[in-house]
Amino acid sequence: MFDFDNALIVRLLDLAGIGVFALSGALMAVRLRQTLVTASFFALLTGVGGGSVRDLLIGAPVFWVQDEAISVVCIAIALIVWSTPERWWQGRLLEWADAVGLAAYSVFGTAKAMAWGVPPMPALLMGVITGCVGGIIRDVLAGVPSIIVRPEIYVTAAALASGLFLLLLWLGVGTPFAAVIGAIAGFALRGAAIRWSLALPAYRDPKTGA
Amino acid sequence: MFDFDNALIVRLLDLAGIGVFALSGALMAVRLRQTLVTASFFALLTGVGGGSVRDLLIGAPVFWVQDEAISVVCIAIALIVWSTPERWWQGRLLEWADAVGLAAYSVFGTAKAMAWGVPPMPALLMGVITGCVGGIIRDVLAGVPSIIVRPEIYVTAAALASGLFLLLLWLGVGTPFAAVIGAIAGFALRGAAIRWSLALPAYRDPKTGA
Amino acid sequence: MFDFDNALIVRLLDLAGIGVFALSGALMAVRLRQTLVTASFFALLTGVGGGSVRDLLIGAPVFWVQDEAISVVCIAIALIVWSTPERWWQGRLLEWADAVGLAAYSVFGTAKAMAWGVPPMPALLMGVITGCVGGIIRDVLAGVPSIIVRPEIYVTAAALASGLFLLLLWLGVGTPFAAVIGAIAGFALRGAAIRWSLALPAYRDPKTGA
């Protein structure tokens, strides 16, 4: 049997989501040739944006406002990105960091919503919001088209992570196992979308087939 | 005399607003050739976005988080749009659906704010926010210019709906009648703007007249 | 010794931030040739946007919802801008109004967050959010690139205002004096960025120097 500590798994998913989203925000600011301060602001808003919206919607205190460590971590990540050669961070790293954050944060968001008594369907949506809103904020701040309307799968991967997590819980699987499986499945789908530009069936007109 | 049930009228305005905004969000996702899951996410954020911002601002619990039916309706609307021929939804349907949502949601937002003890002027603004923010979120997500800066009347129609509702209440007209008249007036103004590109006097320089 | 009334200084910083941001929002709407109603909506959202996000994040009641005077002031500013010749408002006035709002609002946001028991680092970030979010909302509504990604210093000036305010408090300087010094420093940095396109060291690749 798996003997994970539930609280630890959930905390790690949370920090993984915050950290890699903060990284993707800092990378965006560096590409825009902004100062260290602006890079820290991007790291923070991208890192905590999705979770902040989730907490506001479910009526929880916003998680990073009283917990000083979280903003310090976001700023430290910005500092690391800013003081290292850009080629370390080149290629598709931003996309892969975003994929890890998406999967981890979606599962975590659903788990937190359920802990606050939100019913399953809105809890699933809270997971998707937690996973997607940070990236949307980053893209809107940067003035680039929001990641969720690019041709590849994005929101769907977040929904898979949250939905599989809920399904496994409902089937009686333990929380840590369900969380890890859900996050891995969401990451795999998003990763496949990045790697092979994989697309699930998008809308095609039943009549014209276009 | 009219014998409407106040609560029923308000509930119907609310559902009309959610439903048609969800429809306009799903149509946008379909035009962007997104998957069913992304279309559902667009439908949800467009449908509940304005009301969520209103509820956060007035300090009310966010209406759809504990009420599972609302997210189910948004997803069902996305499913219907996604599984039907696109030509059913062609032409200006998105704009007209948006116009109905704008008018209904603006009146409903003002009524809800007043029920929470908000004074008239901010209550009017809550109506405008409720009516306009869903469409703004949809447009920002889709990466198109926000509907409120197009040349035709938009915010003004929302303000007319909310303002007329408040004025009629102040004149002693019953809530259901005031609500219906306000919503019809707002819809008529927005409809005229769509149909004839009608514009109220926009800013003209007093000196140059341009 | 300075004998300022703390509450008065803080209230004036607050109103200065709201007023000049409302002005910058109304000017944007006028440039887009919108109606008076839309200009009022822009003035309101730009004027109260940053403070609203701050209040939601720290769990305070949103400041303008019960205080009718604030929305009346925003609408009055829109009315003044709308009924005067555009050349009165030409040149870089929008940028300078925004600079005053940025500095005043950043210090005020940090002071309010601390009054609500937020620790220093998140309180600094609340100041930056209070100062920057109104302008971001204005730019997103207008469909122009967000001000924080233009080449000149912007977020950094907000962080300087908030950070210097916190530093001076920590050094034992009285609140009103620390607030005024912080706001002046932030305004000076932003003003220098506008006047001379001054830029603090932005990201340069340690390897390539580009």
Side-chain angles (χ1 to χ4, degrees):
Chain A
M1 260 310 288
F2 289 84
D3 199 9
F4 288 114
D5 177 0
N6 283 12
L8 181 64
I9 279 283
V10 165
R11 181 74 181 155
L12 287 177
L13 285 171
D14 188 21
L15 288 177
I18 294 167
V20 295
F21 272 134
L23 177 62
S24 82
L27 286 172
M28 179 69 86
V30 159
R31 290 186 185 175
L32 295 169
R33 293 289 179 270
Q34 295 291 328
T35 70
L36 174 58
V37 175
T38 304
S40 301
F41 191 61
F42 264 75
L44 183 90
L45 291 191
T46 308
V48 305
S52 300
V53 171
R54 174 204 60 222
D55 285 350
L56 291 173
L57 290 175
I58 66 177
V62 178
F63 67 103
W64 60 277
V65 173
Q66 296 294 340
D67 183 352
E68 233 173 339
I70 292 170
S71 39
V72 170
V73 165
C74 290
I75 291 169
I77 287 173
L79 186 56
I80 292 168
V81 169
W82 206 77
S83 55
T84 50
E86 196 177 11
R87 66 181 162 73
W88 288 16
W89 312 101
Q90 230 135 45
R92 303 192 114 175
L93 182 65
L94 192 151
E95 273 184 292
W96 286 97
D98 193 275
V100 174
L102 181 72
Y105 232 24
S106 298
V107 170
F108 176 75
T110 296
K112 180 161 184 184
M114 293 191 73
W116 278 76
V118 175
M121 176 62 76
L124 193 160
L125 294 164
M126 288 301 153
V128 177
I129 287 171
T130 309
C132 295
V133 168
I136 293 171
I137 292 175
R138 178 197 61 220
D139 293 343
V140 167
L141 287 178
V144 304
S146 154
I147 194 165
I148 71 169
V149 294
R150 293 192 206 150
E152 310 128 50
I153 300 297
Y154 193 86
V155 180
T156 308
L160 174 63
S162 292
L164 188 56
F165 170 64
L166 281 174
L167 179 69
L168 292 173
L169 285 188
W170 184 74
L171 291 172
V173 175
T175 300
F177 200 54
V180 170
I181 299 286
I184 288 174
F187 175 73
L189 178 56
R190 178 66 194 142
I194 295 173
R195 182 65 186 78
W196 297 291
S197 302
L198 178 74
L200 283 190
Y203 176 80
R204 299 179 62 208
D205 194 305
K207 193 88 174 194
T208 67
Chain B
M1 260 310 289
F2 290 84
D3 199 8
F4 289 114
D5 176 2
N6 284 13
L8 181 64
I9 279 283
V10 166
R11 180 73 181 156
L12 286 177
L13 285 172
D14 187 22
L15 289 177
I18 294 167
V20 296
F21 272 134
L23 177 62
S24 82
L27 286 172
M28 180 69 88
V30 158
R31 289 187 185 175
L32 295 169
R33 293 290 179 269
Q34 295 291 328
T35 69
L36 174 57
V37 174
T38 304
S40 300
F41 191 62
F42 264 76
L44 183 90
L45 292 191
T46 309
V48 305
S52 300
V53 171
R54 174 203 61 221
D55 285 350
L56 291 173
L57 290 173
I58 67 178
V62 179
F63 67 102
W64 60 277
V65 172
Q66 295 293 340
D67 182 351
E68 230 171 343
I70 291 169
S71 40
V72 169
V73 165
C74 290
I75 291 169
I77 286 173
L79 186 55
I80 291 169
V81 168
W82 206 78
S83 56
T84 50
E86 196 177 11
R87 68 182 160 73
W88 288 17
W89 312 101
Q90 231 136 43
R92 303 191 115 178
L93 183 64
L94 193 151
E95 272 182 293
W96 286 98
D98 194 276
V100 173
L102 181 71
Y105 232 25
S106 298
V107 171
F108 176 75
T110 296
K112 180 161 184 183
M114 293 191 73
W116 279 75
V118 175
M121 177 61 78
L124 193 159
L125 294 164
M126 288 301 154
V128 178
I129 287 171
T130 309
C132 295
V133 168
I136 292 171
I137 291 176
R138 177 197 61 219
D139 293 344
V140 167
L141 287 178
V144 304
S146 154
I147 194 164
I148 70 170
V149 294
R150 294 192 204 151
E152 311 129 49
I153 300 298
Y154 193 86
V155 180
T156 308
L160 174 64
S162 293
L164 189 55
F165 170 64
L166 282 174
L167 179 68
L168 292 174
L169 285 189
W170 184 73
L171 292 172
V173 175
T175 300
F177 200 53
V180 169
I181 299 288
I184 287 175
F187 175 73
L189 178 55
R190 177 67 193 140
I194 295 173
R195 180 67 187 77
W196 297 291
S197 302
L198 179 73
L200 283 190
Y203 175 80
R204 299 181 62 210
D205 194 305
K207 192 91 173 194
T208 66
Chain C
M1 259 308 289
F2 289 85
D3 199 9
F4 288 115
D5 177 1
N6 283 13
L8 181 64
I9 278 283
V10 165
R11 180 72 182 157
L12 287 177
L13 284 171
D14 187 22
L15 289 177
I18 294 167
V20 295
F21 272 134
L23 177 62
S24 82
L27 286 172
M28 179 70 86
V30 158
R31 291 187 184 175
L32 295 170
R33 293 288 178 271
Q34 295 290 328
T35 70
L36 174 57
V37 175
T38 304
S40 301
F41 192 61
F42 263 76
L44 183 89
L45 292 191
T46 308
V48 305
S52 300
V53 171
R54 173 204 63 221
D55 285 350
L56 291 174
L57 290 174
I58 67 178
V62 178
F63 67 102
W64 60 277
V65 173
Q66 295 294 338
D67 182 351
E68 230 171 343
I70 292 169
S71 40
V72 169
V73 165
C74 290
I75 291 169
I77 287 173
L79 186 56
I80 291 168
V81 169
W82 207 78
S83 55
T84 50
E86 196 176 12
R87 66 182 161 74
W88 288 16
W89 313 102
Q90 231 135 42
R92 300 192 117 176
L93 182 66
L94 193 151
E95 273 182 293
W96 286 98
D98 193 275
V100 174
L102 180 71
Y105 232 24
S106 298
V107 170
F108 176 74
T110 297
K112 180 161 184 183
M114 292 191 74
W116 278 77
V118 175
M121 177 61 78
L124 193 160
L125 293 165
M126 289 301 153
V128 177
I129 287 172
T130 308
C132 295
V133 167
I136 293 172
I137 291 176
R138 178 197 62 220
D139 294 343
V140 167
L141 288 178
V144 305
S146 155
I147 195 165
I148 70 170
V149 295
R150 293 190 206 152
E152 312 127 49
I153 300 297
Y154 193 86
V155 179
T156 308
L160 174 64
S162 293
L164 188 56
F165 170 64
L166 282 174
L167 179 68
L168 292 174
L169 285 188
W170 184 73
L171 292 173
V173 175
T175 300
F177 200 53
V180 170
I181 299 287
I184 288 175
F187 175 73
L189 178 55
R190 176 67 193 140
I194 295 173
R195 183 65 187 77
W196 297 291
S197 302
L198 178 73
L200 283 189
Y203 176 81
R204 297 180 63 209
D205 195 306
K207 193 86 173 196
T208 67

